[in-house]
Amino acid sequence: MFESLQKLQIDPIFALMQQYERDENPQKVNVGIGIYRDIKGKPFVFDCIKKAIGCVRNNNFEYESMGGNQQFLAHTAKLFLGEDFDSEKLSLQQACGGTHACRLFADLYLRNNILGSVKNKPKILLSTPSWGNHFGIFKDFEVVKFSHLDENKAFNFSEYLAQVQAHPNSVLLLHGGRTHNPTGENFTLSQLEILAEKCNENQVFVFVDFAYLGLGKSILEDRKYLQILYKKCVQMAFGVSFSKNASLYKQRLGALFIKTNGVNEKEILESNQQNLIRESLSNLPIYPAEVMNIVFENFYEDWVSELGLVCADIALRRKRLLGPLPARFSYLKNGQGMFGLLGLSQAQVLELREVYSIYMMADSRINFAGVREQDFDYLVHNIKKVL
Ligand SMILES: Cc1ncc(COP(=O)(O)O)c(C=O)c1O
């Protein structure tokens, strides 16, 4: 009955994790998966989240509306947009993490052809490398790939402008803030202003996948990247995640927001999103939204200061690892956030994995927030060895 099906590969990040778990080398290092761990390699949960969990009132597990928890959505919209949040013009939808926010946007777009004038598959402009799952989530679009970095491994702004001009009426996917995954190389604020104008001129719909708010520099600094696009772009939406910046990974908390021209359009969009939810999950996990509401209302300052410590720690780990590496890696010092691409060949990545039990993504992306105290010297020593 299922003869036509083939066994598929599991996602390379999770496959790598399984391989790491099975490795018996006591010196093994996991810089593959994008998780913030403490310097001893222990799973990290924000204190404010622990405190909020202690305050959740577990006396009502009945269904919520399909849109999700409205209090959480209003708090989150304000978190990302500040004073620019206009509840009459922003369509709100809770999602199961950032992945699901992207998925909902893709489904909404594919089913309803938001731009209306596109007869063929809608086009999405997706710079590479990107978070691997983007290519799966948007596989039913016509994916136009272009390079996020230039030949000197610097951010390739001119290529973004060229692609937007060459592909009017498409969707442009951007990573939010200062934490591009996997390169760590980002737009400047003034580049975003220019890009927004070009997108408007070419009717390009901007979708921002914002998975690391507060993990670049700070909430206020990171969100400026979104605020510019939100103010300037005529057509834009953004998906958010609380996996990394609130350590809620497997609790699955996120949201999708779409800019509309007023209450009517907002209601139409929300009803479409709610129908997508009804047909798939039917109801959303509200527990993590309640936890986050308590953080917003009672422990917000604690969260901000803890995020500050996490950011400083990531920056320090970047510096500690990159400092003793040869000059060919110095471009990585411009990067921000958890990730960087070492620019190693597949053979070098494989040698590091098979000979030294150092696990990084096949494209040589490493997660600086996965490097433990005991790993720095070991990593530097062995990366140098395979060059
Ligand atoms: C760029 C990007 N978007 C979205 C996500 C998805 O996050 P979540 O676990 O909330 O689905 C990730 C996670 O690694 C990511 O790196």
Side-chain angles (χ1 to χ4, degrees):
M1 184 173 177
F2 297 113
E3 294 85 5
S4 60
L5 289 187
Q6 285 174 351
K7 189 168 177 200
L8 300 179
Q9 300 288 330
I10 67 162
D11 183 272
I13 297 182
F14 287 87
L16 194 73
M17 227 168 72
Q18 283 177 3
Q19 214 184 329
Y20 172 81
E21 296 299 339
R22 286 196 295 265
D23 190 329
E24 288 175 1
N25 182 348
Q27 283 189 297
K28 65 184 176 178
V29 179
N30 184 3
V31 283
I33 191 153
I35 287 178
Y36 175 85
R37 287 252 169 106
D38 74 13
I39 194 74
K40 293 193 177 122
K42 295 237 170 59
F44 172 83
V45 181
F46 283 88
D47 270 341
C48 60
I49 293 289
K50 289 184 197 159
K51 283 193 221 156
I53 286 171
C55 302
V56 177
R57 277 190 259 119
N58 296 313
N59 56 6
N60 180 358
F61 291 148
E62 289 178 1
Y63 295 127
E64 183 73 72
S65 71
M66 309 301 150
N69 184 283
Q70 294 302 310
Q71 205 182 335
F72 159 74
L73 289 166
H75 281 309
T76 303
K78 261 185 232 139
L79 173 76
F80 279 84
L81 294 176
E83 293 306 306
D84 300 328
F85 167 46
D86 175 351
S87 62
E88 298 207 333
K89 286 201 175 151
L90 191 68
S91 136
L92 315 174
Q93 176 62 55
Q94 190 181 323
C96 290
T99 308
H100 185 225
C102 294
R103 174 80 258 154
L104 274 174
F105 175 75
D107 285 346
L108 190 73
Y109 206 95
L110 287 165
R111 280 208 194 173
N112 302 295
N113 214 339
I114 288 175
L115 289 177
S117 58
V118 190
K119 293 227 171 55
N120 304 319
K121 279 183 176 183
K123 235 184 232 178
I124 189 159
L125 313 179
L126 189 43
S127 72
T128 63
S130 193
W131 178 50
N133 207 8
H134 282 152
F135 299 95
I137 294 170
F138 292 100
K139 67 174 179 293
D140 293 327
F141 285 62
E142 180 189 338
V143 179
V144 177
K145 295 184 191 169
F146 62 99
S147 182
H148 183 75
L149 299 177
D150 64 17
E151 57 286 357
N152 301 317
K153 298 197 170 83
F155 176 61
N156 203 358
F157 181 52
S158 58
E159 190 56 24
Y160 271 86
L161 294 183
Q163 293 295 333
V164 165
Q165 260 169 315
H167 301 284
N169 296 312
S170 52
V171 177
L172 171 66
L173 189 147
L174 298 177
H175 292 226
R178 316 159 171 268
T179 50
H180 183 265
N181 176 7
T183 68
E185 298 283 340
N186 311 290
F187 287 88
T188 62
L189 296 178
S190 48
Q191 286 173 334
L192 279 178
E193 305 255 2
I194 299 168
L195 182 80
E197 268 167 37
K198 277 279 168 293
C199 288
N200 289 341
E201 276 166 33
N202 294 284
Q203 282 91 47
V204 167
F205 193 115
V206 173
F207 176 68
V208 184
D209 175 11
F210 211 146
Y212 299 89
L213 178 77
L215 291 173
K217 201 165 180 192
S218 68
I219 289 175
L220 295 185
E221 286 299 317
D222 296 355
R223 78 181 185 184
K224 285 183 183 164
Y225 285 69
L226 186 75
Q227 287 170 314
I228 288 176
L229 295 168
Y230 184 72
K231 266 197 202 138
K232 289 218 145 188
C233 294
V234 178
Q235 302 170 312
M236 78 87 68
F238 58 103
V240 311
S241 160
F242 286 93
S243 297
K244 329 267 168 162
N245 61 8
S247 56
L248 286 170
Y249 307 88
K250 65 183 172 188
Q251 297 297 331
R252 312 309 299 142
L253 187 63
L256 172 64
F257 299 100
I258 305 176
K259 182 173 171 175
T260 75
N261 59 20
V263 178
N264 250 352
E265 199 172 71
K266 167 185 157 82
E267 284 178 1
I268 291 171
L269 277 171
E270 287 181 350
S271 70
N272 275 272
Q273 290 169 147
Q274 289 169 19
N275 270 272
L276 288 172
I277 295 290
R278 182 64 173 147
E279 294 159 15
S280 50
L281 302 165
S282 187
N283 234 253
L284 289 147
I286 296 304
Y287 182 81
E290 285 176 349
V291 170
M292 219 42 224
N293 284 341
I294 295 170
V295 172
F296 283 125
E297 287 160 22
N298 302 321
F299 304 115
Y300 184 73
E301 293 309 323
D302 297 13
W303 185 40
V304 169
S305 68
E306 284 185 75
L307 265 173
L309 294 176
V310 166
C311 259
D313 180 47
I314 295 172
L316 190 71
R317 289 199 221 180
R318 286 190 84 101
K319 217 167 155 189
R320 265 186 81 179
L321 187 68
L322 295 175
L325 282 174
R328 62 176 270 178
F329 296 105
S330 58
Y331 67 92
L332 282 163
K333 292 178 184 159
N334 302 326
Q336 274 179 307
M338 287 162 61
F339 304 113
L341 269 184
L342 291 184
L344 302 177
S345 68
Q346 284 201 355
Q348 289 166 324
V349 169
L350 211 64
E351 188 180 344
L352 283 169
R353 191 182 310 161
E354 288 181 353
V355 182
Y356 306 108
S357 301
I358 294 171
Y359 291 77
M360 64 184 68
M361 299 308 296
D363 61 1
S364 74
R365 181 195 85 171
I366 65 161
N367 170 23
F368 291 95
V371 185
R372 300 164 299 179
E373 189 63 56
Q374 72 260 36
D375 299 332
F376 288 98
D377 290 345
Y378 185 73
L379 273 169
V380 170
H381 184 76
N382 293 308
I383 290 170
K384 280 185 185 162
K385 258 191 178 164
V386 300
L387 295 179

